[in-house]
Amino acid sequence: MEIIKRFKSYSIEDSKHIARFLADLLKPNDVVLMQGDLGSGKTFLVKEICRLWKTTQEAASPSFALIYQYDGPLPVNHFDFYRIEDVAELDHLGWEEYLEAGAVTFIEWPQIIENRLQKYYKLDIQFENDHRALTLKHNN
Amino acid sequence: MKVLGIETSCDETSVAVIEENSVLSNIISSQEVHAQFGGVVPELASRAHIRLMMPIVKRALQETGATITDMQGLAVTYGPGLVGALLVGLNFAKGVSQATGKPFIGVNHMEGHIYGNLLSQKTVNFPIIFLIVSGGHTMLVKMDDHLKYKLLGRTRDDAVGEAFDKGAKLLGLGYPGGPAIDRLAAEGDPDFFNFPRAHLKNDPFGFSYSGLKTALLVYLKDKTEAYIQSNLNHICAAYQQAAVEILVKKTILAARKFNIRQIAIAGGVAANSRLRKWLSEEAGQKNMKVYLPEPKYCTDNAAMIARAGYEYLKRGMESPNTLNTYPALELQSIAD
């Protein structure tokens, strides 16, 4: 995968700048895998991006619901496969049908479906000592 | 008046028969699947709902000695939830309705949780401040009368049940995390550590739980595994204390602001023992009445859907055959 950019976040303000970068970059039908441990700030970034894009609903954690959709000038699909242990559980969810419909799709806990996607961004978030290190990649 | 209830909004396939405020049967797939139908069910597959629907309907009717023709109508969840899962229940209800000429009514899942509480009471007085807390939802609702709701606030990020589940995961406890933390916390010191309580500016009835989860993560980072294990009860107690305190304070605040003397809780987290005890104590001191749901009607079940549906059906209200599913359905009141 090609590395597009590396970021370091020491604060909420830093993370908001990263959200701004992503909000400017992403286009309809883009898919972004958000990979990082519990508490790494995946949902926070999606929430900030949605705020910048002025979606009609505020983004929240879809861990329980699995799929949230937010309307707006640029609609957003927000998936979260935290609870999924076997990829077969997703077969009847129809999540793939959401991907080519003009929205930007963010997928938290995407590990189990990564090999089913053709073209996507991947934002990897790692905890370092006093900051979070983020790496944005693209598989093109 | 007997009502058949159907719930398929998420993981559970559930069918129930109620007669007014009495539950005649309430079958829930996760309790039945292994014993009754064999094998492991992929919990999220709509296919599982399809496969389980008929056996569970039959079982629910059998237990009451009734047939479908004895029902006055059907009640079915039409949102919020997963589209594929909701469609199974809704289409089944429509099919039965068409075949038998019985009316059906679509019920909001959150309204179902509210009626899961009312189902547990002999009588209730309105208005009631309702705290609805589960793995996917955290909201405060003012209920002025049957079927009349006003949303006061909700979570902006994680639901409180999610905070319990993910907190439990960070502590290496099993799923579901709420009961595990509840159990360990009973033996711990809630003041062992002061986890943050999120008070939101300009949103007195809103909630935020993602910060609590992150605070636990930060707290655990420099602790040894041995330290965590030997203080597990205390950490759980302190974590639960922070999560529950916000729920109790905001519920009481809402009751005071609207000068309402009845409060109630609903949803899976309403089974949490600390929440039940604390809210009861606070309400007692302030001379408020608190309605607690029976634990079996806290988690997703069809009896609560049937009970809510009964309120509509007895008023002669029914849904058109064109009713759709709404994954993000908001709690709505009937018109005055």
Side-chain angles (χ1 to χ4, degrees):
Chain A
M1 290 188 87
E2 174 204 354
I3 293 180
I4 296 175
K5 200 167 167 65
R6 292 181 196 274
F7 311 86
K8 285 182 180 178
S9 172
Y10 292 86
S11 65
I12 284 179
E13 285 313 310
D14 288 349
S15 293
K16 285 184 176 174
H17 283 296
I18 298 165
R20 164 71 69 182
F21 177 89
L22 292 167
D24 290 342
L25 173 78
L26 297 169
K27 310 229 162 2
N29 292 328
D30 280 347
V31 176
V32 187
L33 309 191
M34 313 281 286
Q35 199 156 311
D37 282 339
L38 279 179
S40 59
K42 301 179 292 296
T43 304
F44 179 83
L45 285 172
V46 176
K47 201 179 178 71
E48 274 306 304
I49 293 166
C50 286
R51 203 193 304 275
L52 292 166
W53 285 344
K54 299 188 175 11
T55 57
T56 51
Q57 302 95 335
E58 203 181 352
S61 170
S63 286
F64 185 81
L66 305 178
I67 295 177
Y68 278 149
Q69 289 184 283
Y70 315 120
D71 302 323
L74 182 50
V76 172
N77 299 320
H78 191 183
F79 299 173
D80 184 332
F81 297 148
Y82 175 76
R83 297 198 299 137
I84 309 295
E85 285 178 7
D86 184 340
V87 72
E89 294 177 44
L90 291 174
D91 285 352
H92 294 262
L93 208 57
W95 63 275
E96 283 150 307
E97 292 162 27
Y98 292 74
L99 298 188
E100 302 276 319
V104 173
T105 301
F106 295 95
I107 309 181
E108 300 191 35
W109 302 95
Q111 288 85 338
I112 59 166
I113 51 89
E114 183 168 353
N115 62 10
R116 295 201 180 186
L117 296 170
Q118 303 293 322
K119 195 176 149 208
Y120 54 89
Y121 290 98
K122 183 158 152 183
L123 185 68
D124 182 68
I125 312 175
Q126 298 283 344
F127 289 105
E128 302 292 341
N129 288 329
D130 57 347
H131 66 279
R132 291 171 170 90
L134 296 85
T135 312
L136 181 68
K137 299 179 222 170
H138 195 263
N139 72 334
N140 227 5
Chain B
M1 186 181 199
K2 287 195 179 85
V3 177
L4 185 84
I6 299 165
E7 154 68 32
T8 61
S9 68
C10 198
D11 302 351
E12 303 285 8
T13 314
S14 180
V15 179
V17 177
I18 66 150
E19 183 163 20
E20 271 117 61
N21 208 42
S22 305
V23 178
L24 304 181
S25 65
N26 186 28
I27 313 295
I28 300 168
S29 59
S30 62
Q31 296 165 2
E32 295 295 318
V33 163
H34 302 280
Q36 201 66 28
F37 309 108
V40 176
V41 176
E43 63 170 359
L44 296 157
S46 312
R47 192 171 47 181
H49 287 302
I50 293 171
R51 199 160 63 76
L52 291 166
M53 185 58 74
M54 274 311 292
I56 291 184
V57 167
K58 279 184 181 156
R59 173 86 190 277
L61 287 168
Q62 246 165 27
E63 276 196 7
T64 66
T67 66
I68 199 81
T69 52
D70 299 321
M71 302 298 122
Q72 266 78 28
L74 296 94
V76 61
T77 311
Y78 74 112
L82 292 164
V83 181
L86 289 164
L87 277 170
V88 176
L90 180 60
N91 284 329
F92 183 86
K94 283 182 182 178
V96 173
S97 173
Q98 290 245 302
T100 60
K102 307 275 182 193
F104 84 97
I105 183 78
V107 169
N108 182 308
H109 182 77
M110 306 317 294
E111 156 177 63
H113 276 303
I114 286 175
Y115 276 91
N117 179 307
L118 300 192
L119 195 53
S120 309
Q121 320 302 332
K122 285 198 177 72
T123 57
V124 288
N125 291 318
F126 294 105
I128 304 170
I129 293 292
F130 250 103
L131 173 72
I132 312 176
V133 278
S134 68
H137 302 276
T138 304
M139 56 174 75
L140 271 169
V141 171
K142 184 160 81 73
M143 186 180 191
D144 290 318
D145 200 346
H146 281 295
L147 310 181
K148 297 232 162 85
Y149 322 98
K150 184 173 189 303
L151 179 69
L152 302 178
R154 62 161 57 136
T155 184
R156 297 171 156 201
D157 37 57
D158 299 5
V160 62
E162 180 177 345
F164 278 123
D165 281 336
K166 291 189 171 171
K169 176 110 173 186
L170 291 172
L171 291 166
L173 306 173
Y175 182 91
I181 288 180
D182 194 357
R183 206 165 43 243
L184 289 162
E187 309 289 322
D189 172 12
D191 299 321
F192 182 71
F193 183 77
N194 190 26
F195 286 107
R197 280 77 162 152
H199 294 279
L200 304 172
K201 225 190 279 176
N202 306 324
D203 189 8
F205 306 124
F207 300 89
S208 169
Y209 275 103
S210 73
L212 178 60
K213 172 187 71 191
T214 307
L216 178 63
L217 182 81
V218 171
Y219 171 80
L220 293 174
K221 213 182 254 175
D222 60 357
K223 306 287 183 295
T224 64
E225 190 54 34
Y227 179 88
I228 293 168
Q229 284 313 317
S230 60
N231 292 290
L232 199 53
N233 293 343
H234 298 320
I235 298 168
C236 285
Y239 188 74
Q240 175 173 271
Q241 187 80 352
V244 170
E245 181 181 306
I246 288 290
L247 299 176
V248 171
K249 283 201 168 159
K250 295 203 176 217
T251 305
I252 297 285
L253 182 71
R256 294 180 76 133
K257 165 152 189 208
F258 295 99
N259 198 20
I260 289 174
R261 309 225 60 85
Q262 288 78 230
I263 56 179
I265 51 176
V269 179
N272 179 275
S273 64
R274 187 78 190 100
L275 173 61
R276 293 169 83 96
K277 186 158 179 283
W278 196 342
L279 200 59
S280 300
E281 283 168 4
E282 287 284 330
Q285 282 168 18
K286 294 179 174 60
N287 204 20
M288 293 174 186
K289 170 83 184 155
V290 58
Y291 300 120
L292 299 176
E294 288 181 49
K296 63 182 170 187
Y297 301 132
C298 288
T299 46
D300 292 354
N301 68 88
M304 68 185 200
I305 302 301
R307 177 64 186 82
Y310 163 69
E311 291 296 329
Y312 288 100
L313 293 167
K314 80 173 182 190
R315 288 168 172 77
M317 301 171 72
E318 59 181 283
S319 294
N321 214 32
T322 50
L323 182 70
N324 210 338
T325 56
Y326 294 90
L329 184 64
E330 298 282 351
L331 197 56
Q332 292 154 342
S333 294
I334 56 168
D336 281 304

